[in-house]
Amino acid sequence: MASPEPAENRRQRKKQRTRDALIEAAMRLFAAQGYDRTAVHEITDAVDVSERTFFRYFASKEDLVLSFVRDGATAFAAALAARPPQEEPLTAARHAFQISLRQLPGGAGEAASYLSVMGLIDSTPALLAAYLRYVHEHDHEIIQVLARREGVDPASDRRPRVLAAVIGSLVFLANRECRAGDDQGPDAMSAAFDAYADEVM
């Protein structure tokens, strides 16, 4: 007989299902009636949980949307840090982007959800401001990874900051191109990133 699953694993899986259900309901409501016109209680009603439960997972509607950005940035930074040190920075960024896309929990469906979120951010002034604030406050994380890879001090060497800005622009352009196309899967996003990276002299 198989040994019973530990209670902690069951709790974590249940928490993840609740979080995913809240995100799915929120995105469905945002698409149907707009971000600004959607209240937290409508999201929780759709999932049949309390507002208190919502705030255990997210500080606000804005925080729910930005969770996609945070998760993606964290996965990319970890993948970039793990690349072989001899790889040229843009080559390492290409591989890290591919790896972070493959790590999206729902595969192609999750990539489409991520692109949908980026479209929502792009079209909602309050979210765009929050997104830009997040990028401004957290760009040092990628800068530090790049500086460690190059063995330089980012306080005195501008290259990691320039590289981080270039990589951020490549991700933005790849996201925008995929949102405008029919294929919104990870492979299409990775191909778009590579195509834009090829244009960097």
Side-chain angles (χ1 to χ4, degrees):
M1 292 179 60
S3 58
E5 181 183 15
E8 180 61 25
N9 289 356
R10 291 196 301 273
R11 281 194 296 270
Q12 288 301 320
R13 199 167 62 248
K14 183 179 179 181
K15 287 171 64 176
Q16 186 62 48
R17 282 199 302 265
T18 301
R19 184 179 187 272
D20 292 345
L22 286 167
I23 291 173
E24 182 180 343
M27 293 307 299
R28 191 168 57 247
L29 288 164
F30 295 158
Q33 58 194 37
Y35 172 81
D36 291 324
R37 290 189 295 276
T38 299
V40 168
H41 75 82
E42 294 177 286
I43 299 170
T44 57
D45 286 350
V47 182
D48 196 22
V49 297
S50 67
E51 289 186 51
R52 183 177 177 181
T53 296
F54 177 95
F55 290 114
R56 280 205 294 266
Y57 293 91
F58 306 105
S60 61
K61 290 189 303 177
E62 177 186 291
D63 184 53
L64 180 148
V65 174
L66 290 182
S67 69
F68 279 83
V69 177
R70 287 196 304 271
D71 292 349
T74 298
F76 177 76
L80 183 60
R83 295 306 303 164
Q86 67 272 17
E87 276 187 344
E88 184 270 334
L90 276 182
T91 299
R94 289 176 193 250
H95 291 304
F97 190 63
Q98 293 168 2
I99 291 166
S100 62
L101 288 174
R102 288 199 298 270
Q103 290 176 344
L104 292 172
E110 191 70 8
S113 296
Y114 172 77
L115 288 173
S116 176
V117 167
M118 294 309 295
L120 177 67
I121 290 172
D122 213 14
S123 62
T124 308
L127 289 175
L128 183 57
Y131 169 73
L132 293 173
R133 183 174 67 248
Y134 174 85
V135 171
H136 175 72
E137 291 174 352
H138 294 269
D139 62 353
H140 66 278
E141 295 167 7
I142 294 296
I143 291 170
Q144 290 293 339
V145 171
L146 291 166
R148 284 195 297 270
R149 288 180 51 81
E150 298 298 304
V152 299
D153 180 0
S156 58
D157 194 315
R158 294 184 177 93
R159 286 175 296 169
R161 281 173 281 164
V162 172
L163 280 168
V166 169
I167 291 167
S169 297
L170 296 175
V171 172
F172 175 82
L173 291 168
N175 286 341
R176 177 166 282 185
E177 180 171 309
C178 283
R179 290 203 312 270
D182 295 328
D183 188 350
Q184 298 188 344
D187 290 343
M189 291 173 67
S190 180
F193 183 94
D194 287 348
Y196 282 111
D198 286 341
E199 299 299 325
V200 177
M201 300 300 292

Coordinates of all heavy atoms in Angstrom, one line a residue, residues 72-163:
G72 N 7.1 35.7 -12.8 CA 7.9 35.7 -14.0 C 9.3 36.2 -13.7 O 10.4 35.6 -14.2
A73 N 9.4 37.4 -13.1 CA 10.7 38.0 -12.8 C 11.6 37.1 -11.9 O 12.8 37.0 -12.1 CB 10.5 39.4 -12.2
T74 N 11.0 36.5 -10.9 CA 11.7 35.6 -10.0 C 12.3 34.4 -10.7 O 13.4 34.0 -10.5 CB 10.8 35.2 -8.8 OG1 10.4 36.4 -8.1 CG2 11.6 34.3 -7.9
A75 N 11.4 33.8 -11.5 CA 11.9 32.6 -12.3 C 13.0 33.0 -13.3 O 14.0 32.2 -13.4 CB 10.7 32.0 -13.1
F76 N 12.9 34.1 -13.9 CA 13.9 34.6 -14.9 C 15.2 34.8 -14.2 O 16.3 34.4 -14.6 CB 13.4 35.8 -15.7 CG 14.5 36.3 -16.6 CD1 14.7 35.7 -17.8 CD2 15.2 37.4 -16.3 CE1 15.7 36.2 -18.7 CE2 16.2 37.9 -17.2 CZ 16.4 37.3 -18.4
A77 N 15.2 35.5 -13.1 CA 16.4 35.9 -12.3 C 17.1 34.6 -11.9 O 18.3 34.5 -12.0 CB 16.1 36.8 -11.1
A78 N 16.3 33.6 -11.4 CA 16.9 32.3 -10.9 C 17.5 31.6 -12.1 O 18.6 31.0 -12.0 CB 15.8 31.5 -10.2
A79 N 16.8 31.6 -13.2 CA 17.4 30.8 -14.4 C 18.6 31.5 -14.9 O 19.6 30.8 -15.3 CB 16.3 30.8 -15.5
L80 N 18.6 32.9 -14.9 CA 19.8 33.6 -15.4 C 21.0 33.3 -14.5 O 22.1 33.1 -14.9 CB 19.5 35.1 -15.5 CG 20.6 36.0 -16.0 CD1 21.0 35.6 -17.4 CD2 20.1 37.5 -15.9
A81 N 20.8 33.3 -13.2 CA 21.9 33.1 -12.2 C 22.5 31.7 -12.4 O 23.6 31.5 -12.1 CB 21.4 33.3 -10.8
A82 N 21.7 30.8 -12.8 CA 22.1 29.4 -13.0 C 22.8 29.1 -14.3 O 23.4 28.0 -14.5 CB 20.9 28.4 -12.8
R83 N 22.8 30.0 -15.2 CA 23.5 29.8 -16.5 C 25.0 29.7 -16.3 O 25.5 30.3 -15.4 CB 23.1 30.9 -17.5 CG 21.7 31.0 -17.9 CD 21.1 29.7 -18.4 NE 21.9 29.2 -19.6 CZ 21.8 27.9 -20.0 NH1 21.0 27.0 -19.4 NH2 22.5 27.5 -21.1
P84 N 25.7 28.9 -17.2 CA 27.1 28.8 -17.1 C 27.8 30.2 -17.2 O 27.4 31.0 -18.0 CB 27.5 27.9 -18.3 CG 26.2 27.2 -18.6 CD 25.1 28.1 -18.3
P85 N 28.8 30.4 -16.4 CA 29.4 31.8 -16.3 C 30.1 32.2 -17.6 O 30.3 33.4 -17.9 CB 30.4 31.7 -15.2 CG 30.6 30.2 -15.0 CD 29.4 29.5 -15.4
Q86 N 30.5 31.2 -18.5 CA 31.2 31.5 -19.7 C 30.2 32.0 -20.8 O 30.7 32.5 -21.8 CB 32.0 30.3 -20.2 CG 31.2 29.1 -20.7 CD 30.9 28.2 -19.5 OE1 31.0 28.5 -18.4 NE2 30.6 26.9 -19.9
E87 N 28.9 31.8 -20.6 CA 28.0 32.3 -21.6 C 27.9 33.8 -21.8 O 27.9 34.5 -20.8 CB 26.5 31.8 -21.3 CG 26.3 30.4 -21.8 CD 24.8 30.0 -21.6 OE1 24.1 30.7 -20.9 OE2 24.4 29.0 -22.2
E88 N 27.9 34.3 -23.0 CA 27.8 35.7 -23.2 C 26.4 36.2 -22.7 O 25.5 35.4 -22.7 CB 27.8 35.9 -24.8 CG 27.8 37.4 -25.2 CD 26.4 37.8 -25.5 OE1 25.5 37.0 -25.8 OE2 26.2 39.1 -25.4
P89 N 26.3 37.4 -22.1 CA 25.1 37.8 -21.4 C 23.8 37.6 -22.1 O 22.8 37.1 -21.6 CB 25.4 39.3 -21.1 CG 26.9 39.4 -21.0 CD 27.4 38.4 -22.0
L90 N 23.7 38.0 -23.4 CA 22.5 37.9 -24.1 C 22.1 36.4 -24.4 O 21.0 36.1 -24.4 CB 22.5 38.7 -25.4 CG 22.2 40.2 -25.3 CD1 22.2 40.9 -26.7 CD2 20.8 40.4 -24.6
T91 N 23.2 35.6 -24.6 CA 22.9 34.2 -24.8 C 22.4 33.6 -23.5 O 21.4 32.8 -23.6 CB 24.2 33.5 -25.2 OG1 24.7 34.0 -26.4 CG2 24.0 32.0 -25.4
A92 N 22.9 34.0 -22.4 CA 22.4 33.5 -21.1 C 21.0 34.0 -20.9 O 20.2 33.2 -20.4 CB 23.3 34.0 -20.0
A93 N 20.7 35.2 -21.3 CA 19.3 35.7 -21.1 C 18.3 35.0 -22.0 O 17.2 34.7 -21.6 CB 19.3 37.2 -21.5
R94 N 18.8 34.6 -23.2 CA 17.9 33.8 -24.1 C 17.5 32.5 -23.4 O 16.3 32.1 -23.4 CB 18.6 33.5 -25.4 CG 18.8 34.7 -26.4 CD 19.6 34.2 -27.6 NE 20.1 35.2 -28.4 CZ 19.7 35.5 -29.7 NH1 18.7 34.7 -30.2 NH2 20.3 36.4 -30.4
H95 N 18.5 31.8 -23.0 CA 18.3 30.5 -22.3 C 17.4 30.7 -21.1 O 16.5 29.9 -20.8 CB 19.6 29.8 -22.0 CG 20.3 29.3 -23.2 ND1 19.8 28.5 -24.2 CD2 21.6 29.6 -23.6 CE1 20.7 28.3 -25.1 NE2 21.8 28.9 -24.8
A96 N 17.7 31.7 -20.3 CA 17.0 31.9 -19.0 C 15.5 32.2 -19.3 O 14.6 31.8 -18.6 CB 17.6 33.1 -18.3
F97 N 15.3 33.0 -20.4 CA 13.9 33.3 -20.8 C 13.1 32.0 -21.2 O 12.0 31.8 -20.7 CB 13.9 34.3 -21.9 CG 12.5 34.9 -22.2 CD1 11.9 35.6 -21.3 CD2 11.9 34.7 -23.4 CE1 10.6 36.2 -21.5 CE2 10.7 35.2 -23.7 CZ 10.0 36.0 -22.8
Q98 N 13.8 31.2 -22.0 CA 13.2 29.9 -22.4 C 12.9 29.0 -21.1 O 11.8 28.5 -21.0 CB 14.1 29.1 -23.3 CG 14.3 29.8 -24.7 CD 15.5 29.2 -25.4 OE1 16.1 28.2 -25.0 NE2 15.7 29.7 -26.6
I99 N 13.8 28.9 -20.2 CA 13.6 28.1 -19.0 C 12.5 28.7 -18.2 O 11.6 27.9 -17.7 CB 14.9 28.1 -18.2 CG1 16.0 27.3 -19.0 CG2 14.7 27.4 -16.8 CD1 17.4 27.4 -18.5
S100 N 12.5 30.0 -18.0 CA 11.4 30.6 -17.1 C 10.0 30.4 -17.7 O 9.1 30.2 -17.0 CB 11.7 32.0 -16.8 OG 11.7 32.8 -18.0
L101 N 9.9 30.4 -19.0 CA 8.7 30.2 -19.7 C 8.2 28.7 -19.5 O 7.0 28.4 -19.3 CB 8.8 30.5 -21.2 CG 8.9 31.9 -21.6 CD1 9.1 32.1 -23.1 CD2 7.6 32.7 -21.2
R102 N 9.1 27.8 -19.6 CA 8.8 26.4 -19.4 C 8.4 26.1 -18.0 O 7.7 25.1 -17.7 CB 10.0 25.5 -19.8 CG 10.2 25.4 -21.3 CD 11.1 24.2 -21.6 NE 12.4 24.2 -21.0 CZ 13.5 24.7 -21.5 NH1 13.4 25.3 -22.7 NH2 14.6 24.7 -20.9
Q103 N 8.8 26.9 -17.1 CA 8.4 26.7 -15.6 C 7.1 27.3 -15.3 O 6.6 27.1 -14.1 CB 9.5 27.3 -14.8 CG 10.8 26.6 -14.8 CD 11.9 27.3 -14.0 OE1 11.8 28.4 -13.6 NE2 13.0 26.5 -13.7
L104 N 6.4 28.0 -16.2 CA 5.0 28.4 -15.9 C 4.2 27.2 -15.6 O 4.2 26.2 -16.3 CB 4.5 29.2 -17.1 CG 5.1 30.5 -17.5 CD1 4.6 31.1 -18.8 CD2 4.9 31.5 -16.4
P105 N 3.4 27.3 -14.5 CA 2.7 26.1 -14.0 C 1.8 25.5 -15.0 O 1.7 24.3 -15.1 CB 1.9 26.6 -12.8 CG 2.6 27.9 -12.4 CD 3.2 28.4 -13.6
G106 N 1.1 26.3 -15.8 CA 0.1 25.7 -16.7 C 0.5 25.6 -18.2 O -0.3 25.5 -19.1
G107 N 1.9 25.7 -18.4 CA 2.4 25.5 -19.8 C 1.8 26.6 -20.7 O 1.8 27.8 -20.4
A108 N 1.4 26.2 -21.9 CA 0.9 27.1 -22.9 C -0.3 27.9 -22.4 O -0.4 29.1 -22.6 CB 0.5 26.3 -24.2
G109 N -1.2 27.3 -21.6 CA -2.3 28.1 -21.1 C -1.9 29.1 -20.1 O -2.4 30.2 -20.1
E110 N -0.9 28.8 -19.3 CA -0.4 29.9 -18.4 C 0.3 31.0 -19.1 O 0.3 32.1 -18.7 CB 0.5 29.2 -17.4 CG 0.9 30.1 -16.2 CD -0.3 30.3 -15.3 OE1 -1.3 29.7 -15.4 OE2 -0.1 31.2 -14.4
A111 N 1.0 30.6 -20.2 CA 1.7 31.7 -21.0 C 0.6 32.6 -21.6 O 0.8 33.8 -21.6 CB 2.5 31.0 -22.1
A112 N -0.5 32.1 -22.1 CA -1.5 32.9 -22.6 C -2.1 33.8 -21.5 O -2.4 35.0 -21.7 CB -2.6 32.1 -23.2
S113 N -2.3 33.3 -20.3 CA -2.8 34.1 -19.2 C -1.8 35.2 -18.8 O -2.2 36.3 -18.6 CB -2.9 33.2 -17.9 OG -3.9 32.2 -18.2
Y114 N -0.5 34.9 -18.9 CA 0.5 35.9 -18.6 C 0.4 37.0 -19.6 O 0.5 38.2 -19.3 CB 1.9 35.3 -18.6 CG 3.0 36.2 -18.6 CD1 3.4 36.8 -17.4 CD2 3.8 36.6 -19.7 CE1 4.5 37.7 -17.3 CE2 4.8 37.5 -19.7 CZ 5.1 38.1 -18.5 OH 6.2 39.0 -18.4
L115 N 0.3 36.7 -20.9 CA 0.1 37.7 -21.9 C -1.1 38.5 -21.8 O -1.2 39.7 -22.0 CB 0.2 37.0 -23.3 CG 1.6 36.5 -23.7 CD1 1.4 35.7 -25.1 CD2 2.6 37.6 -23.9
S116 N -2.2 37.8 -21.3 CA -3.5 38.5 -21.1 C -3.3 39.5 -19.9 O -3.8 40.7 -20.0 CB -4.5 37.5 -20.7 OG -5.7 38.2 -20.4
V117 N -2.5 39.2 -18.9 CA -2.2 40.1 -17.8 C -1.4 41.3 -18.3 O -1.7 42.4 -17.9 CB -1.5 39.3 -16.7 CG1 -0.9 40.3 -15.7 CG2 -2.4 38.4 -16.0
M118 N -0.4 41.0 -19.1 CA 0.4 42.1 -19.6 C -0.4 43.1 -20.5 O -0.2 44.3 -20.5 CB 1.6 41.5 -20.4 CG 2.6 40.8 -19.6 SD 3.2 41.6 -18.1 CE 4.0 43.0 -18.8
G119 N -1.4 42.5 -21.3 CA -2.3 43.3 -22.0 C -3.2 44.2 -21.1 O -3.4 45.4 -21.4
L120 N -3.6 43.6 -20.0 CA -4.5 44.3 -19.1 C -3.6 45.5 -18.4 O -4.1 46.6 -18.3 CB -5.0 43.4 -18.0 CG -5.8 44.0 -16.8 CD1 -7.1 44.5 -17.4 CD2 -6.0 43.0 -15.7
I121 N -2.4 45.2 -18.1 CA -1.5 46.2 -17.5 C -1.3 47.3 -18.5 O -1.4 48.5 -18.1 CB -0.2 45.6 -17.1 CG1 -0.4 44.7 -15.9 CG2 0.9 46.7 -16.8 CD1 0.9 43.8 -15.5
D122 N -1.1 47.0 -19.7 CA -0.8 48.0 -20.8 C -2.0 48.9 -21.0 O -1.8 50.1 -21.4 CB -0.4 47.2 -22.1 CG 0.6 48.0 -22.9 OD1 1.2 48.9 -22.4 OD2 0.8 47.6 -24.1
S123 N -3.2 48.4 -20.8 CA -4.4 49.2 -21.1 C -5.0 49.8 -19.9 O -6.1 50.5 -20.0 CB -5.4 48.3 -21.8 OG -5.8 47.2 -21.0
T124 N -4.5 49.6 -18.7 CA -5.1 50.2 -17.5 C -4.1 51.1 -16.8 O -3.0 50.7 -16.3 CB -5.4 49.0 -16.5 OG1 -6.2 48.1 -17.2 CG2 -6.2 49.6 -15.3
P125 N -4.3 52.4 -16.9 CA -3.3 53.4 -16.3 C -2.8 53.1 -14.9 O -1.6 53.2 -14.7 CB -4.0 54.7 -16.4 CG -5.0 54.5 -17.6 CD -5.4 53.1 -17.5
A126 N -3.7 52.7 -14.0 CA -3.3 52.5 -12.6 C -2.4 51.3 -12.6 O -1.4 51.3 -11.8 CB -4.5 52.3 -11.8
L127 N -2.7 50.2 -13.3 CA -1.8 49.0 -13.3 C -0.5 49.3 -14.0 O 0.5 48.8 -13.6 CB -2.6 47.9 -14.0 CG -3.7 47.3 -13.3 CD1 -4.4 46.2 -14.1 CD2 -3.3 46.7 -11.9
L128 N -0.5 50.1 -15.1 CA 0.7 50.4 -15.8 C 1.7 51.2 -14.8 O 2.9 50.9 -14.8 CB 0.4 51.2 -17.0 CG 1.7 51.6 -17.9 CD1 2.4 50.3 -18.3 CD2 1.2 52.4 -19.1
A129 N 1.1 52.1 -14.1 CA 1.9 52.9 -13.1 C 2.5 51.9 -12.1 O 3.6 52.1 -11.7 CB 1.0 54.0 -12.5
A130 N 1.6 51.0 -11.6 CA 2.1 50.0 -10.6 C 3.2 49.1 -11.1 O 4.2 48.8 -10.4 CB 0.9 49.2 -10.1
Y131 N 3.0 48.7 -12.4 CA 4.0 47.9 -13.0 C 5.3 48.6 -13.2 O 6.4 48.0 -12.9 CB 3.5 47.4 -14.4 CG 4.5 46.8 -15.3 CD1 4.9 45.5 -15.1 CD2 5.0 47.4 -16.4 CE1 5.9 44.8 -15.9 CE2 6.0 46.8 -17.2 CZ 6.4 45.5 -16.9 OH 7.3 44.9 -17.7
L132 N 5.3 49.8 -13.7 CA 6.5 50.6 -13.8 C 7.2 50.9 -12.5 O 8.4 50.8 -12.4 CB 6.2 51.9 -14.5 CG 5.8 51.8 -16.0 CD1 5.3 53.1 -16.6 CD2 6.8 51.1 -16.9
R133 N 6.4 51.1 -11.5 CA 7.0 51.3 -10.1 C 7.7 50.0 -9.7 O 8.8 50.0 -9.1 CB 5.9 51.7 -9.1 CG 6.4 51.9 -7.7 CD 5.3 52.5 -6.8 NE 4.2 51.5 -6.6 CZ 3.0 51.5 -7.0 NH1 2.6 52.5 -7.7 NH2 2.1 50.6 -6.7
Y134 N 7.0 48.8 -9.9 CA 7.6 47.5 -9.5 C 8.9 47.3 -10.3 O 9.9 47.0 -9.6 CB 6.6 46.4 -9.8 CG 7.3 45.0 -9.6 CD1 7.2 44.5 -8.3 CD2 7.9 44.4 -10.6 CE1 7.8 43.2 -8.1 CE2 8.5 43.1 -10.4 CZ 8.5 42.6 -9.1 OH 9.1 41.4 -8.9
V135 N 8.9 47.6 -11.6 CA 10.2 47.4 -12.3 C 11.3 48.3 -11.8 O 12.4 47.9 -11.6 CB 9.9 47.7 -13.8 CG1 11.2 47.7 -14.6 CG2 9.0 46.6 -14.4
H136 N 10.9 49.6 -11.5 CA 11.9 50.5 -11.0 C 12.5 50.1 -9.7 O 13.7 50.2 -9.4 CB 11.2 51.9 -10.9 CG 12.1 52.9 -10.3 ND1 13.2 53.5 -10.9 CD2 12.1 53.5 -9.0 CE1 13.8 54.3 -10.1 NE2 13.2 54.4 -9.0
E137 N 11.6 49.5 -8.8 CA 12.0 49.1 -7.5 C 12.8 47.8 -7.4 O 13.5 47.5 -6.4 CB 10.8 49.1 -6.5 CG 10.2 50.4 -6.3 CD 8.9 50.3 -5.4 OE1 8.4 49.2 -5.2 OE2 8.4 51.4 -5.0
H138 N 12.6 47.0 -8.5 CA 13.2 45.6 -8.4 C 14.2 45.4 -9.5 O 14.7 44.3 -9.6 CB 12.1 44.6 -8.5 CG 11.2 44.6 -7.3 ND1 11.4 43.8 -6.2 CD2 10.1 45.3 -7.0 CE1 10.5 44.0 -5.3 NE2 9.7 44.9 -5.8
D139 N 14.6 46.4 -10.3 CA 15.5 46.1 -11.4 C 16.9 45.8 -10.9 O 17.7 45.2 -11.6 CB 15.6 47.3 -12.4 CG 16.1 48.6 -11.7 OD1 16.2 48.6 -10.5 OD2 16.3 49.6 -12.5
H140 N 17.2 46.2 -9.6 CA 18.5 45.8 -9.0 C 18.7 44.3 -8.9 O 19.9 43.9 -8.9 CB 18.6 46.5 -7.7 CG 17.7 45.9 -6.6 ND1 16.4 46.3 -6.5 CD2 17.9 45.0 -5.7 CE1 15.8 45.7 -5.6 NE2 16.7 44.8 -5.0
E141 N 17.6 43.6 -8.9 CA 17.8 42.1 -8.7 C 18.5 41.5 -10.0 O 19.4 40.7 -9.9 CB 16.4 41.5 -8.5 CG 15.8 41.9 -7.2 CD 14.3 41.5 -7.0 OE1 13.8 40.8 -7.9 OE2 13.7 42.0 -6.0
I142 N 18.0 41.9 -11.2 CA 18.6 41.4 -12.4 C 20.0 42.0 -12.5 O 21.0 41.4 -13.0 CB 17.8 41.8 -13.6 CG1 16.5 41.0 -13.6 CG2 18.5 41.4 -14.9 CD1 16.6 39.5 -13.7
I143 N 20.2 43.3 -12.2 CA 21.5 44.0 -12.3 C 22.5 43.2 -11.4 O 23.6 43.0 -11.8 CB 21.3 45.5 -11.8 CG1 20.5 46.2 -12.8 CG2 22.7 46.1 -11.6 CD1 20.1 47.6 -12.4
Q144 N 22.1 42.8 -10.2 CA 23.0 42.1 -9.3 C 23.4 40.8 -9.9 O 24.6 40.4 -9.8 CB 22.4 41.9 -7.9 CG 22.2 43.2 -7.1 CD 23.6 43.8 -6.7 OE1 24.6 43.1 -6.7 NE2 23.6 45.0 -6.4
V145 N 22.5 40.1 -10.5 CA 22.8 38.8 -11.1 C 23.8 39.0 -12.3 O 24.8 38.2 -12.4 CB 21.5 38.1 -11.7 CG1 21.8 36.9 -12.5 CG2 20.6 37.7 -10.5
L146 N 23.5 40.0 -13.1 CA 24.4 40.2 -14.3 C 25.8 40.7 -13.8 O 26.8 40.3 -14.3 CB 23.8 41.3 -15.2 CG 22.6 40.9 -15.9 CD1 21.9 42.1 -16.5 CD2 22.9 39.9 -17.1
A147 N 25.9 41.5 -12.7 CA 27.1 41.9 -12.2 C 27.9 40.8 -11.6 O 29.2 40.7 -11.8 CB 26.9 43.0 -11.1
R148 N 27.3 39.9 -10.9 CA 28.0 38.7 -10.4 C 28.5 37.8 -11.5 O 29.6 37.3 -11.5 CB 27.1 37.9 -9.5 CG 26.9 38.5 -8.1 CD 26.2 37.5 -7.1 NE 24.9 37.1 -7.6 CZ 23.8 37.7 -7.2 NH1 23.8 38.8 -6.5 NH2 22.6 37.2 -7.6
R149 N 27.7 37.7 -12.6 CA 28.2 36.9 -13.7 C 29.4 37.5 -14.4 O 30.3 36.8 -14.9 CB 27.1 36.7 -14.8 CG 25.9 35.8 -14.4 CD 24.9 35.7 -15.5 NE 25.5 35.5 -16.8 CZ 25.8 34.2 -17.2 NH1 25.6 33.2 -16.4 NH2 26.4 34.0 -18.4
E150 N 29.4 38.8 -14.5 CA 30.5 39.5 -15.2 C 31.7 39.8 -14.2 O 32.8 40.2 -14.6 CB 30.0 40.8 -15.8 CG 29.0 40.6 -16.8 CD 29.5 39.8 -18.0 OE1 30.5 40.3 -18.6 OE2 28.9 38.8 -18.4
G151 N 31.5 39.6 -12.9 CA 32.5 39.8 -11.9 C 32.8 41.3 -11.8 O 34.0 41.7 -11.6
V152 N 31.8 42.2 -11.8 CA 32.0 43.6 -11.7 C 31.2 44.2 -10.6 O 30.2 43.5 -10.1 CB 31.7 44.3 -13.0 CG1 32.6 43.8 -14.2 CG2 30.3 44.2 -13.4
D153 N 31.5 45.4 -10.2 CA 30.7 46.1 -9.2 C 29.7 47.0 -9.9 O 30.1 48.0 -10.6 CB 31.7 46.9 -8.3 CG 30.9 47.7 -7.2 OD1 29.7 47.6 -7.2 OD2 31.6 48.4 -6.5
P154 N 28.4 46.8 -9.8 CA 27.4 47.6 -10.5 C 27.4 49.1 -10.1 O 26.8 49.9 -10.8 CB 26.1 46.9 -10.2 CG 26.3 46.2 -8.9 CD 27.8 45.8 -8.9
A155 N 28.0 49.3 -8.9 CA 28.0 50.7 -8.5 C 29.0 51.6 -9.3 O 28.8 52.8 -9.4 CB 28.4 50.8 -7.0
S156 N 30.0 50.9 -9.8 CA 31.0 51.6 -10.6 C 31.1 51.2 -12.1 O 31.7 51.9 -12.9 CB 32.4 51.4 -10.0 OG 32.7 50.0 -9.9
D157 N 30.5 50.1 -12.4 CA 30.5 49.7 -13.8 C 29.0 49.7 -14.3 O 28.1 49.1 -13.8 CB 31.0 48.2 -13.9 CG 31.3 47.7 -15.3 OD1 30.5 48.0 -16.2 OD2 32.4 47.1 -15.4
R158 N 28.8 50.5 -15.4 CA 27.5 50.7 -16.0 C 26.9 49.5 -16.8 O 25.8 49.4 -17.0 CB 27.5 51.9 -16.9 CG 27.8 53.2 -16.2 CD 27.6 54.4 -17.2 NE 27.8 55.7 -16.5 CZ 29.0 56.3 -16.4 NH1 30.1 55.8 -16.9 NH2 29.1 57.5 -15.8
R159 N 27.8 48.6 -17.2 CA 27.4 47.5 -18.1 C 26.2 46.7 -17.6 O 25.3 46.4 -18.3 CB 28.6 46.6 -18.4 CG 29.5 47.3 -19.4 CD 30.7 46.4 -19.7 NE 31.5 46.3 -18.4 CZ 32.5 45.4 -18.3 NH1 32.8 44.6 -19.3 NH2 33.2 45.3 -17.1
P160 N 26.2 46.2 -16.3 CA 25.1 45.5 -15.8 C 23.8 46.2 -15.9 O 22.7 45.6 -16.2 CB 25.4 45.1 -14.4 CG 26.9 45.2 -14.3 CD 27.3 46.3 -15.3
R161 N 23.8 47.5 -15.6 CA 22.5 48.3 -15.7 C 22.1 48.4 -17.2 O 20.9 48.4 -17.5 CB 22.8 49.7 -15.1 CG 22.7 49.7 -13.6 CD 23.1 51.0 -13.0 NE 24.6 51.2 -13.0 CZ 25.2 52.3 -12.8 NH1 24.5 53.4 -12.7 NH2 26.5 52.4 -12.8
V162 N 23.0 48.6 -18.1 CA 22.7 48.7 -19.5 C 22.1 47.4 -20.0 O 21.1 47.3 -20.7 CB 23.9 49.1 -20.4 CG1 23.6 49.0 -21.8 CG2 24.3 50.5 -20.0
L163 N 22.8 46.3 -19.6 CA 22.3 45.0 -20.0 C 20.9 44.7 -19.5 O 20.1 44.1 -20.2 CB 23.3 43.9 -19.5 CG 24.5 43.7 -20.4 CD1 25.5 42.8 -19.6 CD2 24.2 43.0 -21.7

